[in-house]
Amino acid sequence: MRTRMVAGNWKMNKTFEEADDLLFGIVDGLQSLKLEGMEVILCPPFPYMEMATDVAAEHPVRIGAQNVSQFSTGAYTGEISAEMLRSMDVDFVIIGHSERRKYFGETDEVLSAKVNQALLQDLSPIFCCGEQLEEREAGRHREVVQAQLEKGLFHLSDEDMKEVVIAYEPVWAIGTGVNASAAQAQEMHAMIRELVQERYGQALAQDMTILYGGSCNPANAAELFAQPDVDGGLIGGASLKADDFISIVRSL
Ligand code: 13P
């Protein structure tokens, strides 16, 4: 069974008090919703993890990290290991976000090591892929995404791949207010599912959750989520306001 999901990536936003307000605003808003067959995931900044996992213990949300080290433990100043996240009841981790690729120089090799670390600790990677504007304009979007998946994920065993969530996030749609159209999203999600099927077989591909991310908001979420291969969203800006985020969850 494919699980439908909405995940909020808070990125580097909110003070402690603001994060507390947002967290409780979201779980209050979720109370009136039926969440059968779906997961709501919140990915706050690291300092707010404990607050978030405490709330998640009492409410129907699960917690994801926005990053994880490619190393397991030891002298890596400033890094956070998968083992630390697991020990705090974090269940997911975003890996391969375009902002990490762009600003922190994360290469496909680093990302594949991060995926391995996450899986060793039973964290589900939310693996992001997506092309830049120039790549789409040059008609290269399919091959770019294919290469990202092959280098970051397709070394995994079937057993590990079952734990992975893929997020298609075209870079030109992130934070721009210009979302991929429902047809563009569907085309890329279907392609991603096809690639997973070629490598891992039909059953695994059909069960795989593939999220769309990039200027997803309360006004466009329902149309995007109605596409047969779009199983939910990875939400940035609109996850920072409880009402907007709840409205997106309601669209699923
Ligand atoms: P926006 O929803 O702000 O475009 O960000 C999407 C994103 O990057 C989620 O990871």
Side-chain angles (χ1 to χ4, degrees):
M1 253 303 267
R2 208 184 289 175
T3 307
R4 294 170 70 75
M5 285 180 192
V6 173
N9 175 8
W10 295 7
K11 307 191 181 182
M12 195 174 73
N13 291 293
K14 305 288 179 190
T15 62
F16 185 77
E17 268 178 37
E18 290 165 351
D20 186 78
D21 283 351
L22 178 57
L23 200 51
F24 283 95
I26 289 171
V27 293
D28 282 351
L30 289 177
Q31 274 175 7
S32 60
L33 303 189
K34 276 212 188 91
L35 299 172
E36 278 160 41
M38 88 171 72
E39 299 262 25
V40 178
I41 300 163
L42 306 178
C43 305
F46 283 126
Y48 312 147
M49 262 326 157
E50 188 175 359
M51 169 167 70
T53 53
D54 282 352
V55 168
E58 311 278 330
H59 296 89
V61 292
R62 294 173 77 192
I63 303 304
Q66 298 175 21
N67 187 23
V68 67
S69 177
Q70 68 267 42
F71 303 109
S72 59
T73 187
Y76 300 102
T77 301
E79 289 292 285
I80 310 272
S81 72
E83 187 182 28
M84 293 173 191
L85 296 174
R86 173 41 66 212
S87 73
M88 296 188 70
D89 296 327
V90 173
D91 291 323
F92 294 86
V93 57
I94 299 170
I95 295 175
H97 195 283
S98 62
E99 290 151 15
R100 303 264 354 144
R101 294 178 192 258
K102 177 176 174 190
Y103 299 119
F104 303 97
E106 294 189 0
T107 61
D108 293 312
E109 291 67 33
V110 167
L111 297 175
S112 103
K114 290 185 176 214
V115 166
N116 294 343
Q117 287 297 328
L119 288 163
L120 278 172
Q121 296 295 334
D122 292 328
L123 297 171
S124 286
I126 300 176
F127 186 84
C128 302
C129 57
E131 79 285 358
Q132 300 184 37
L133 183 59
E134 311 80 76
E135 292 164 337
R136 176 162 281 265
E137 286 174 347
R140 296 184 52 237
H141 42 298
R142 292 179 206 81
E143 66 185 85
V144 167
V145 168
Q146 178 168 356
Q148 289 170 338
L149 296 175
E150 283 173 354
K151 292 178 185 160
L153 279 187
F154 284 1
H155 63 287
L156 295 177
S157 66
D158 289 26
E159 199 184 326
D160 279 344
M161 192 65 169
K162 281 185 191 150
E163 306 305 318
V164 172
V165 173
I166 295 178
Y168 171 60
E169 297 208 310
V171 180
W172 47 270
I174 296 177
T176 59
V178 181
N179 59 288
S181 68
Q184 286 172 321
Q186 169 56 25
E187 188 213 354
M188 293 303 285
H189 283 229
M191 183 204 78
I192 291 166
R193 200 178 302 285
E194 180 72 33
L195 292 169
V196 174
Q197 178 166 330
E198 282 167 19
R199 172 72 179 75
Y200 293 95
Q202 187 176 13
L204 196 153
Q206 283 306 317
D207 281 354
M208 172 147 271
T209 300
I210 307 178
L211 307 179
Y212 168 77
S215 297
C216 187
N217 61 40
N220 60 29
E223 192 189 357
L224 287 159
F225 297 168
Q227 304 307 306
D229 288 296
V230 178
D231 308 315
L234 179 55
I235 318 299
S239 74
L240 299 174
K241 290 193 190 135
D243 290 350
D244 285 356
F245 188 67
I246 296 297
S247 164
I248 291 171
V249 173
R250 199 175 277 128
S251 306
L252 192 62

